[in-house]
Amino acid sequence: MKENVCQEHQHKLGLLTERSVSILEIKEIHQNLLIQHAAISEDVADAIERNDYVNLSHLLVNRSKIRSAIKEVESLHEAELHSPDSMNGRICKALKDAAATMESKGEDMLSNVINNLDKCNQTAGNFVTRAISISNKTLSKGNQLNHRAGKLLIRRTSEGLDKLADIIQKRS
């Protein structure tokens, strides 16, 4: 009897919903779900950086479940959760909504950046390979020309010394 009177008093104060769960508990559950969502979002970013697609898949499934739970709590208790508590509460909600939107767009942008960087790396690799090939051919050709010039110089010097020896021999 005493418990029933206490529940009626809390219901009159607006602390209990139809399911005998206080609004404070609902707000706490909602806040915990939002915290879990943020934590999983950070884990998703880490999994993307580590290229751990198995873990990423599990995290995305869990994040989807948490989003569903958040939407369910918000749809069932929209009036209680979004009552004009304070200006800070409304600012926090707006910031969280903006963060969620930016997160999904950020993942798309990150994917585009990664793809573009891969293409740049491939192009740079191709340029380096071509430059090395051209340098190799140029050095090889230069070595061949240097070898020919050296042989020509030795032959001409030898011929000149031979002629000089003949001239010296004729005069003596």
Side-chain angles (χ1 to χ4, degrees):
M1 174 89 168
K2 185 177 182 182
E3 182 179 289
N4 196 14
V5 171
C6 184
Q7 284 182 350
E8 282 184 22
H9 181 63
Q10 287 179 342
H11 188 68
K12 287 179 184 176
L13 291 174
L15 297 176
L16 289 179
T17 63
E18 297 80 32
R19 294 179 185 87
S20 298
V21 178
S22 73
I23 293 172
L24 296 176
E25 289 173 326
I26 291 170
K27 287 183 178 184
E28 184 177 334
I29 290 168
H30 184 257
Q31 186 63 33
N32 285 337
L33 287 171
L34 292 174
I35 290 169
Q36 288 177 8
H37 184 268
I40 284 184
S41 295
E42 290 177 11
D43 292 342
V44 164
D46 290 340
I48 289 171
E49 287 180 15
R50 289 182 276 123
N51 291 330
D52 186 1
Y53 294 108
V54 173
N55 189 25
L56 177 63
S57 175
H58 293 296
L59 289 171
L60 291 176
V61 168
N62 288 340
R63 185 174 70 178
S64 175
K65 289 178 183 178
I66 290 174
R67 279 186 185 163
S68 297
I70 290 171
K71 287 180 182 177
E72 186 69 24
V73 168
E74 288 176 350
S75 69
L76 290 174
H77 303 285
E78 186 174 357
E80 293 91 357
L81 289 174
H82 302 298
S83 62
D85 293 332
S86 67
M87 182 62 103
N88 287 342
R90 287 182 274 174
I91 291 172
C92 287
K93 182 181 178 346
L95 290 174
K96 287 178 183 178
D97 291 344
T101 303
M102 288 178 66
E103 176 186 356
S104 64
K105 289 183 180 180
E107 289 174 4
D108 294 338
M109 287 175 54
L110 180 63
S111 177
N112 288 339
V113 167
I114 289 170
N115 289 337
N116 289 336
L117 285 175
D118 285 342
K119 289 177 184 176
C120 286
N121 283 338
Q122 289 174 353
T123 302
N126 290 340
F127 283 142
V128 168
T129 302
R130 288 180 189 158
I132 289 172
S133 176
I134 291 169
S135 296
N136 187 26
K137 289 177 183 176
T138 303
L139 288 173
S140 178
K141 192 66 172 177
N143 286 340
Q144 289 173 359
L145 290 174
N146 191 21
H147 183 70
R148 285 184 194 165
K151 283 173 72 175
L152 179 66
L153 181 64
I154 291 172
R155 192 178 85 231
R156 294 289 174 130
T157 304
S158 175
E159 288 173 358
L161 288 174
D162 190 40
K163 286 180 183 178
L164 182 63
D166 286 343
I167 291 173
I168 290 175
Q169 193 174 29
K170 286 181 184 176
R171 287 193 182 174
S172 21

